[in-house]
PDB file of all heavy atoms in Angstrom:
ATOM      1  N   GLY A   1     124.035  98.713 165.271  1.00  0.00           N
ATOM      2  CA  GLY A   1     123.371  99.841 166.129  1.00  0.00           C
ATOM      3  C   GLY A   1     121.959  99.325 166.352  1.00  0.00           C
ATOM      4  O   GLY A   1     121.294  98.884 165.465  1.00  0.00           O
ATOM      5  N   ARG A   2     121.517  99.406 167.639  1.00  0.00           N
ATOM      6  CA  ARG A   2     120.264  98.919 167.993  1.00  0.00           C
ATOM      7  C   ARG A   2     119.251  99.997 168.492  1.00  0.00           C
ATOM      8  O   ARG A   2     118.159 100.292 167.916  1.00  0.00           O
ATOM      9  CB  ARG A   2     120.351  97.774 168.999  1.00  0.00           C
ATOM     10  CG  ARG A   2     120.954  96.460 168.549  1.00  0.00           C
ATOM     11  CD  ARG A   2     120.160  95.559 167.700  1.00  0.00           C
ATOM     12  NE  ARG A   2     119.055  96.068 166.986  1.00  0.00           N
ATOM     13  CZ  ARG A   2     119.050  96.454 165.755  1.00  0.00           C
ATOM     14  NH1 ARG A   2     120.179  96.346 165.059  1.00  0.00           N
ATOM     15  NH2 ARG A   2     118.076  96.911 165.078  1.00  0.00           N
ATOM     16  N   TYR A   3     119.604 100.622 169.550  1.00  0.00           N
ATOM     17  CA  TYR A   3     118.629 101.559 170.169  1.00  0.00           C
ATOM     18  C   TYR A   3     119.405 102.823 170.644  1.00  0.00           C
ATOM     19  O   TYR A   3     120.588 102.793 170.939  1.00  0.00           O
ATOM     20  CB  TYR A   3     118.043 100.893 171.513  1.00  0.00           C
ATOM     21  CG  TYR A   3     117.346  99.585 171.138  1.00  0.00           C
ATOM     22  CD1 TYR A   3     117.878  98.474 171.668  1.00  0.00           C
ATOM     23  CD2 TYR A   3     116.173  99.526 170.430  1.00  0.00           C
ATOM     24  CE1 TYR A   3     117.323  97.167 171.403  1.00  0.00           C
ATOM     25  CE2 TYR A   3     115.553  98.351 170.102  1.00  0.00           C
ATOM     26  CZ  TYR A   3     116.134  97.184 170.677  1.00  0.00           C
ATOM     27  OH  TYR A   3     115.511  95.965 170.396  1.00  0.00           O
ATOM     28  N   TRP A   4     118.635 103.953 170.692  1.00  0.00           N
ATOM     29  CA  TRP A   4     119.168 105.218 171.120  1.00  0.00           C
ATOM     30  C   TRP A   4     118.153 106.049 171.648  1.00  0.00           C
ATOM     31  O   TRP A   4     116.932 105.759 171.551  1.00  0.00           O
ATOM     32  CB  TRP A   4     119.820 105.820 169.823  1.00  0.00           C
ATOM     33  CG  TRP A   4     119.161 107.193 169.493  1.00  0.00           C
ATOM     34  CD1 TRP A   4     117.878 107.295 168.861  1.00  0.00           C
ATOM     35  CD2 TRP A   4     119.538 108.521 169.809  1.00  0.00           C
ATOM     36  NE1 TRP A   4     117.605 108.735 168.775  1.00  0.00           N
ATOM     37  CE2 TRP A   4     118.622 109.371 169.271  1.00  0.00           C
ATOM     38  CE3 TRP A   4     120.749 109.005 170.487  1.00  0.00           C
ATOM     39  CZ2 TRP A   4     118.803 110.822 169.454  1.00  0.00           C
ATOM     40  CZ3 TRP A   4     120.830 110.286 170.639  1.00  0.00           C
ATOM     41  CH2 TRP A   4     119.881 111.179 170.068  1.00  0.00           C
ATOM     42  N   GLY A   5     118.563 107.007 172.384  1.00  0.00           N
ATOM     43  CA  GLY A   5     117.661 107.969 173.039  1.00  0.00           C
ATOM     44  C   GLY A   5     118.412 109.134 173.663  1.00  0.00           C
ATOM     45  O   GLY A   5     119.598 109.066 173.801  1.00  0.00           O
ATOM     46  N   CYS A   6     117.668 110.209 174.081  1.00  0.00           N
ATOM     47  CA  CYS A   6     118.250 111.316 174.757  1.00  0.00           C
ATOM     48  C   CYS A   6     117.250 111.979 175.665  1.00  0.00           C
ATOM     49  O   CYS A   6     116.126 111.707 175.581  1.00  0.00           O
ATOM     50  CB  CYS A   6     118.787 112.253 173.706  1.00  0.00           C
ATOM     51  SG  CYS A   6     117.452 113.022 172.724  1.00  0.00           S
ATOM     52  N   THR A   7     117.763 112.721 176.635  1.00  0.00           N
ATOM     53  CA  THR A   7     116.938 113.488 177.451  1.00  0.00           C
ATOM     54  C   THR A   7     117.101 114.992 177.199  1.00  0.00           C
ATOM     55  O   THR A   7     116.403 115.838 177.770  1.00  0.00           O
ATOM     56  CB  THR A   7     117.245 113.251 178.937  1.00  0.00           C
ATOM     57  OG1 THR A   7     118.740 113.432 179.197  1.00  0.00           O
ATOM     58  CG2 THR A   7     116.854 111.842 179.385  1.00  0.00           C
ATOM     59  N   GLU A   8     118.063 115.266 176.340  1.00  0.00           N
ATOM     60  CA  GLU A   8     118.353 116.680 175.992  1.00  0.00           C
ATOM     61  C   GLU A   8     118.581 116.778 174.485  1.00  0.00           C
ATOM     62  O   GLU A   8     119.513 116.133 174.008  1.00  0.00           O
ATOM     63  CB  GLU A   8     119.555 117.191 176.670  1.00  0.00           C
ATOM     64  CG  GLU A   8     119.840 118.733 176.512  1.00  0.00           C
ATOM     65  CD  GLU A   8     121.054 119.215 177.290  1.00  0.00           C
ATOM     66  OE1 GLU A   8     121.192 118.734 178.453  1.00  0.00           O
ATOM     67  OE2 GLU A   8     121.780 120.130 176.795  1.00  0.00           O
ATOM     68  N   HIS A   9     117.732 117.389 173.748  1.00  0.00           N
ATOM     69  CA  HIS A   9     117.893 117.478 172.301  1.00  0.00           C
ATOM     70  C   HIS A   9     118.829 118.508 171.853  1.00  0.00           C
ATOM     71  O   HIS A   9     118.695 119.657 172.237  1.00  0.00           O
ATOM     72  CB  HIS A   9     116.463 117.663 171.691  1.00  0.00           C
ATOM     73  CG  HIS A   9     115.436 116.520 172.033  1.00  0.00           C
ATOM     74  ND1 HIS A   9     115.405 115.407 171.206  1.00  0.00           N
ATOM     75  CD2 HIS A   9     114.575 116.417 172.916  1.00  0.00           C
ATOM     76  CE1 HIS A   9     114.571 114.577 171.734  1.00  0.00           C
ATOM     77  NE2 HIS A   9     113.985 115.184 172.838  1.00  0.00           N
ATOM     78  N   ARG A  10     119.770 118.184 171.021  1.00  0.00           N
ATOM     79  CA  ARG A  10     120.746 119.053 170.468  1.00  0.00           C
ATOM     80  C   ARG A  10     120.938 118.711 169.047  1.00  0.00           C
ATOM     81  O   ARG A  10     120.720 117.618 168.611  1.00  0.00           O
ATOM     82  CB  ARG A  10     122.124 118.868 171.245  1.00  0.00           C
ATOM     83  CG  ARG A  10     122.116 119.281 172.715  1.00  0.00           C
ATOM     84  CD  ARG A  10     123.512 119.362 173.215  1.00  0.00           C
ATOM     85  NE  ARG A  10     123.570 119.672 174.650  1.00  0.00           N
ATOM     86  CZ  ARG A  10     124.707 119.971 175.291  1.00  0.00           C
ATOM     87  NH1 ARG A  10     125.856 120.151 174.601  1.00  0.00           N
ATOM     88  NH2 ARG A  10     124.646 120.237 176.581  1.00  0.00           N
ATOM     89  N   PRO A  11     121.308 119.781 168.318  1.00  0.00           N
ATOM     90  CA  PRO A  11     121.426 119.610 166.820  1.00  0.00           C
ATOM     91  C   PRO A  11     122.501 118.517 166.495  1.00  0.00           C
ATOM     92  O   PRO A  11     123.546 118.393 167.008  1.00  0.00           O
ATOM     93  CB  PRO A  11     121.958 120.907 166.312  1.00  0.00           C
ATOM     94  CG  PRO A  11     121.468 121.928 167.362  1.00  0.00           C
ATOM     95  CD  PRO A  11     121.547 121.155 168.657  1.00  0.00           C
ATOM     96  N   MET A  12     122.108 117.596 165.700  1.00  0.00           N
ATOM     97  CA  MET A  12     123.050 116.550 165.113  1.00  0.00           C
ATOM     98  C   MET A  12     123.466 115.507 166.142  1.00  0.00           C
ATOM     99  O   MET A  12     124.307 114.629 165.866  1.00  0.00           O
ATOM    100  CB  MET A  12     124.248 117.152 164.408  1.00  0.00           C
ATOM    101  CG  MET A  12     123.952 118.261 163.533  1.00  0.00           C
ATOM    102  SD  MET A  12     122.918 117.716 162.198  1.00  0.00           S
ATOM    103  CE  MET A  12     122.581 119.310 161.425  1.00  0.00           C
ATOM    104  N   LEU A  13     122.852 115.596 167.392  1.00  0.00           N
ATOM    105  CA  LEU A  13     123.291 114.604 168.356  1.00  0.00           C
ATOM    106  C   LEU A  13     122.981 113.153 168.118  1.00  0.00           C
ATOM    107  O   LEU A  13     123.846 112.328 168.405  1.00  0.00           O
ATOM    108  CB  LEU A  13     122.666 114.959 169.703  1.00  0.00           C
ATOM    109  CG  LEU A  13     123.051 114.148 171.019  1.00  0.00           C
ATOM    110  CD1 LEU A  13     124.621 114.355 171.209  1.00  0.00           C
ATOM    111  CD2 LEU A  13     122.325 114.723 172.174  1.00  0.00           C
ATOM    112  N   HIS A  14     121.825 112.846 167.445  1.00  0.00           N
ATOM    113  CA  HIS A  14     121.587 111.564 167.042  1.00  0.00           C
ATOM    114  C   HIS A  14     122.502 111.078 165.992  1.00  0.00           C
ATOM    115  O   HIS A  14     123.038 109.900 166.125  1.00  0.00           O
ATOM    116  CB  HIS A  14     120.095 111.626 166.391  1.00  0.00           C
ATOM    117  CG  HIS A  14     119.737 110.253 165.807  1.00  0.00           C
ATOM    118  ND1 HIS A  14     119.204 110.169 164.581  1.00  0.00           N
ATOM    119  CD2 HIS A  14     119.852 109.012 166.292  1.00  0.00           C
ATOM    120  CE1 HIS A  14     118.937 108.880 164.254  1.00  0.00           C
ATOM    121  NE2 HIS A  14     119.372 108.095 165.279  1.00  0.00           N
ATOM    122  N   PHE A  15     122.890 111.851 165.035  1.00  0.00           N
ATOM    123  CA  PHE A  15     123.886 111.383 163.931  1.00  0.00           C
ATOM    124  C   PHE A  15     125.203 111.061 164.559  1.00  0.00           C
ATOM    125  O   PHE A  15     125.852 110.076 164.203  1.00  0.00           O
ATOM    126  CB  PHE A  15     124.026 112.502 162.849  1.00  0.00           C
ATOM    127  CG  PHE A  15     122.797 112.753 162.232  1.00  0.00           C
ATOM    128  CD1 PHE A  15     122.598 114.103 161.735  1.00  0.00           C
ATOM    129  CD2 PHE A  15     121.772 111.888 162.004  1.00  0.00           C
ATOM    130  CE1 PHE A  15     121.448 114.402 161.045  1.00  0.00           C
ATOM    131  CE2 PHE A  15     120.644 112.140 161.266  1.00  0.00           C
ATOM    132  CZ  PHE A  15     120.405 113.474 160.864  1.00  0.00           C
ATOM    133  N   GLU A  16     125.668 111.941 165.558  1.00  0.00           N
ATOM    134  CA  GLU A  16     127.024 111.731 166.192  1.00  0.00           C
ATOM    135  C   GLU A  16     126.937 110.445 167.061  1.00  0.00           C
ATOM    136  O   GLU A  16     127.851 109.605 166.957  1.00  0.00           O
ATOM    137  CB  GLU A  16     127.362 112.972 167.013  1.00  0.00           C
ATOM    138  CG  GLU A  16     128.682 112.746 167.760  1.00  0.00           C
ATOM    139  CD  GLU A  16     129.818 112.668 166.873  1.00  0.00           C
ATOM    140  OE1 GLU A  16     129.813 113.268 165.739  1.00  0.00           O
ATOM    141  OE2 GLU A  16     130.914 111.985 167.244  1.00  0.00           O
ATOM    142  N   THR A  17     125.946 110.362 167.852  1.00  0.00           N
ATOM    143  CA  THR A  17     125.865 109.245 168.816  1.00  0.00           C
ATOM    144  C   THR A  17     125.833 107.874 168.201  1.00  0.00           C
ATOM    145  O   THR A  17     126.442 106.903 168.573  1.00  0.00           O
ATOM    146  CB  THR A  17     124.825 109.428 169.895  1.00  0.00           C
ATOM    147  OG1 THR A  17     124.916 110.791 170.505  1.00  0.00           O
ATOM    148  CG2 THR A  17     124.839 108.466 171.047  1.00  0.00           C
ATOM    149  N   CYS A  18     124.849 107.838 167.138  1.00  0.00           N
ATOM    150  CA  CYS A  18     124.540 106.598 166.473  1.00  0.00           C
ATOM    151  C   CYS A  18     125.454 106.228 165.348  1.00  0.00           C
ATOM    152  O   CYS A  18     125.718 104.946 165.185  1.00  0.00           O
ATOM    153  CB  CYS A  18     123.096 106.530 166.122  1.00  0.00           C
ATOM    154  SG  CYS A  18     121.945 106.708 167.471  1.00  0.00           S
ATOM    155  N   TYR A  19     125.712 107.203 164.472  1.00  0.00           N
ATOM    156  CA  TYR A  19     126.438 106.944 163.182  1.00  0.00           C
ATOM    157  C   TYR A  19     127.943 107.193 163.262  1.00  0.00           C
ATOM    158  O   TYR A  19     128.693 106.292 162.931  1.00  0.00           O
ATOM    159  CB  TYR A  19     125.773 107.671 162.062  1.00  0.00           C
ATOM    160  CG  TYR A  19     124.267 107.542 161.973  1.00  0.00           C
ATOM    161  CD1 TYR A  19     123.408 108.529 161.470  1.00  0.00           C
ATOM    162  CD2 TYR A  19     123.701 106.349 162.458  1.00  0.00           C
ATOM    163  CE1 TYR A  19     122.091 108.352 161.429  1.00  0.00           C
ATOM    164  CE2 TYR A  19     122.310 106.185 162.305  1.00  0.00           C
ATOM    165  CZ  TYR A  19     121.515 107.216 161.842  1.00  0.00           C
ATOM    166  OH  TYR A  19     120.191 107.048 161.809  1.00  0.00           O
ATOM    167  N   TYR A  20     128.354 108.438 163.622  1.00  0.00           N
ATOM    168  CA  TYR A  20     129.709 108.710 163.600  1.00  0.00           C
ATOM    169  C   TYR A  20     130.511 108.004 164.695  1.00  0.00           C
ATOM    170  O   TYR A  20     131.676 107.528 164.363  1.00  0.00           O
ATOM    171  CB  TYR A  20     129.853 110.238 163.628  1.00  0.00           C
ATOM    172  CG  TYR A  20     129.194 110.982 162.560  1.00  0.00           C
ATOM    173  CD1 TYR A  20     128.636 112.233 162.744  1.00  0.00           C
ATOM    174  CD2 TYR A  20     129.109 110.377 161.206  1.00  0.00           C
ATOM    175  CE1 TYR A  20     127.910 112.880 161.738  1.00  0.00           C
ATOM    176  CE2 TYR A  20     128.432 111.030 160.240  1.00  0.00           C
ATOM    177  CZ  TYR A  20     127.877 112.310 160.436  1.00  0.00           C
ATOM    178  OH  TYR A  20     127.145 113.041 159.452  1.00  0.00           O
ATOM    179  N   GLN A  21     130.035 108.045 165.899  1.00  0.00           N
ATOM    180  CA  GLN A  21     130.739 107.200 166.947  1.00  0.00           C
ATOM    181  C   GLN A  21     130.846 105.761 166.533  1.00  0.00           C
ATOM    182  O   GLN A  21     131.889 105.117 166.870  1.00  0.00           O
ATOM    183  CB  GLN A  21     129.968 107.390 168.251  1.00  0.00           C
ATOM    184  CG  GLN A  21     130.071 108.798 168.836  1.00  0.00           C
ATOM    185  CD  GLN A  21     131.498 109.187 169.301  1.00  0.00           C
ATOM    186  OE1 GLN A  21     132.199 108.416 169.886  1.00  0.00           O
ATOM    187  NE2 GLN A  21     131.872 110.395 169.083  1.00  0.00           N
ATOM    188  N   ALA A  22     129.830 105.264 165.890  1.00  0.00           N
ATOM    189  CA  ALA A  22     129.829 103.820 165.542  1.00  0.00           C
ATOM    190  C   ALA A  22     130.987 103.592 164.462  1.00  0.00           C
ATOM    191  O   ALA A  22     131.741 102.587 164.475  1.00  0.00           O
ATOM    192  CB  ALA A  22     128.567 103.374 164.862  1.00  0.00           C
ATOM    193  N   ILE A  23     131.137 104.606 163.530  1.00  0.00           N
ATOM    194  CA  ILE A  23     132.170 104.474 162.551  1.00  0.00           C
ATOM    195  C   ILE A  23     133.518 104.600 163.182  1.00  0.00           C
ATOM    196  O   ILE A  23     134.448 103.804 162.882  1.00  0.00           O
ATOM    197  CB  ILE A  23     132.028 105.663 161.499  1.00  0.00           C
ATOM    198  CG1 ILE A  23     130.794 105.310 160.646  1.00  0.00           C
ATOM    199  CG2 ILE A  23     133.239 105.663 160.563  1.00  0.00           C
ATOM    200  CD1 ILE A  23     130.409 106.412 159.640  1.00  0.00           C
ATOM    201  N   ASP A  24     133.685 105.488 164.160  1.00  0.00           N
ATOM    202  CA  ASP A  24     134.936 105.549 164.917  1.00  0.00           C
ATOM    203  C   ASP A  24     135.285 104.283 165.547  1.00  0.00           C
ATOM    204  O   ASP A  24     136.469 103.790 165.390  1.00  0.00           O
ATOM    205  CB  ASP A  24     134.781 106.671 165.998  1.00  0.00           C
ATOM    206  CG  ASP A  24     134.982 108.150 165.482  1.00  0.00           C
ATOM    207  OD1 ASP A  24     135.592 108.302 164.458  1.00  0.00           O
ATOM    208  OD2 ASP A  24     134.504 109.049 166.155  1.00  0.00           O
ATOM    209  N   TYR A  25     134.357 103.689 166.184  1.00  0.00           N
ATOM    210  CA  TYR A  25     134.611 102.317 166.894  1.00  0.00           C
ATOM    211  C   TYR A  25     134.984 101.275 165.889  1.00  0.00           C
ATOM    212  O   TYR A  25     135.900 100.553 166.046  1.00  0.00           O
ATOM    213  CB  TYR A  25     133.387 101.894 167.646  1.00  0.00           C
ATOM    214  CG  TYR A  25     133.639 100.776 168.498  1.00  0.00           C
ATOM    215  CD1 TYR A  25     134.150 100.826 169.806  1.00  0.00           C
ATOM    216  CD2 TYR A  25     133.455  99.414 168.071  1.00  0.00           C
ATOM    217  CE1 TYR A  25     134.478  99.734 170.612  1.00  0.00           C
ATOM    218  CE2 TYR A  25     133.741  98.368 168.816  1.00  0.00           C
ATOM    219  CZ  TYR A  25     134.218  98.522 170.143  1.00  0.00           C
ATOM    220  OH  TYR A  25     134.484  97.314 170.876  1.00  0.00           O
ATOM    221  N   ALA A  26     134.292 101.264 164.742  1.00  0.00           N
ATOM    222  CA  ALA A  26     134.454 100.173 163.777  1.00  0.00           C
ATOM    223  C   ALA A  26     135.908 100.342 163.182  1.00  0.00           C
ATOM    224  O   ALA A  26     136.613  99.277 162.976  1.00  0.00           O
ATOM    225  CB  ALA A  26     133.404 100.254 162.658  1.00  0.00           C
ATOM    226  N   ILE A  27     136.272 101.517 162.917  1.00  0.00           N
ATOM    227  CA  ILE A  27     137.625 101.760 162.329  1.00  0.00           C
ATOM    228  C   ILE A  27     138.697 101.339 163.370  1.00  0.00           C
ATOM    229  O   ILE A  27     139.686 100.704 163.006  1.00  0.00           O
ATOM    230  CB  ILE A  27     137.823 103.231 161.884  1.00  0.00           C
ATOM    231  CG1 ILE A  27     136.989 103.522 160.700  1.00  0.00           C
ATOM    232  CG2 ILE A  27     139.245 103.499 161.582  1.00  0.00           C
ATOM    233  CD1 ILE A  27     136.893 105.016 160.344  1.00  0.00           C
ATOM    234  N   ALA A  28     138.553 101.693 164.598  1.00  0.00           N
ATOM    235  CA  ALA A  28     139.543 101.466 165.668  1.00  0.00           C
ATOM    236  C   ALA A  28     139.661 100.026 165.911  1.00  0.00           C
ATOM    237  O   ALA A  28     140.669  99.549 166.373  1.00  0.00           O
ATOM    238  CB  ALA A  28     139.129 102.248 166.958  1.00  0.00           C
ATOM    239  N   HIS A  29     138.543  99.258 165.769  1.00  0.00           N
ATOM    240  CA  HIS A  29     138.500  97.840 166.064  1.00  0.00           C
ATOM    241  C   HIS A  29     138.517  96.937 164.774  1.00  0.00           C
ATOM    242  O   HIS A  29     138.142  95.786 164.928  1.00  0.00           O
ATOM    243  CB  HIS A  29     137.416  97.518 166.960  1.00  0.00           C
ATOM    244  CG  HIS A  29     137.613  98.138 168.319  1.00  0.00           C
ATOM    245  ND1 HIS A  29     137.216  99.526 168.556  1.00  0.00           N
ATOM    246  CD2 HIS A  29     138.079  97.695 169.483  1.00  0.00           C
ATOM    247  CE1 HIS A  29     137.481  99.782 169.807  1.00  0.00           C
ATOM    248  NE2 HIS A  29     138.037  98.743 170.406  1.00  0.00           N
ATOM    249  N   ASP A  30     138.784  97.463 163.652  1.00  0.00           N
ATOM    250  CA  ASP A  30     138.993  96.702 162.389  1.00  0.00           C
ATOM    251  C   ASP A  30     137.581  96.011 162.069  1.00  0.00           C
ATOM    252  O   ASP A  30     137.666  94.763 161.579  1.00  0.00           O
ATOM    253  CB  ASP A  30     140.152  95.715 162.474  1.00  0.00           C
ATOM    254  CG  ASP A  30     141.496  96.475 162.543  1.00  0.00           C
ATOM    255  OD1 ASP A  30     141.565  97.511 161.893  1.00  0.00           O
ATOM    256  OD2 ASP A  30     142.320  96.012 163.295  1.00  0.00           O
ATOM    257  N   LEU A  31     136.538  96.536 162.291  1.00  0.00           N
ATOM    258  CA  LEU A  31     135.248  95.921 161.845  1.00  0.00           C
ATOM    259  C   LEU A  31     134.981  96.393 160.511  1.00  0.00           C
ATOM    260  O   LEU A  31     135.178  97.468 160.084  1.00  0.00           O
ATOM    261  CB  LEU A  31     134.152  96.283 162.862  1.00  0.00           C
ATOM    262  CG  LEU A  31     134.313  95.906 164.263  1.00  0.00           C
ATOM    263  CD1 LEU A  31     133.221  96.422 165.183  1.00  0.00           C
ATOM    264  CD2 LEU A  31     134.283  94.317 164.318  1.00  0.00           C
TER     265      LEU A  31
END
């Protein structure tokens, strides 16, 4: 994970976009 940002601030959006979605991708692609 390198960079992130948003134009609309929502609760937990940073955690979802950067951390949980990354875990989803890693699991799906055997990383």
Side-chain angles (χ1 to χ4, degrees):
R2 293 279 27 92
Y3 305 108
W4 115 283
C6 64
T7 53
E8 184 177 325
H9 296 276
R10 296 194 183 190
M12 311 302 171
L13 184 57
H14 175 228
F15 300 148
E16 177 66 28
T17 308
C18 296
Y19 306 150
Y20 302 143
Q21 290 290 320
I23 291 174
D24 279 338
Y25 187 90
I27 292 173
H29 294 83
D30 295 322
L31 296 176

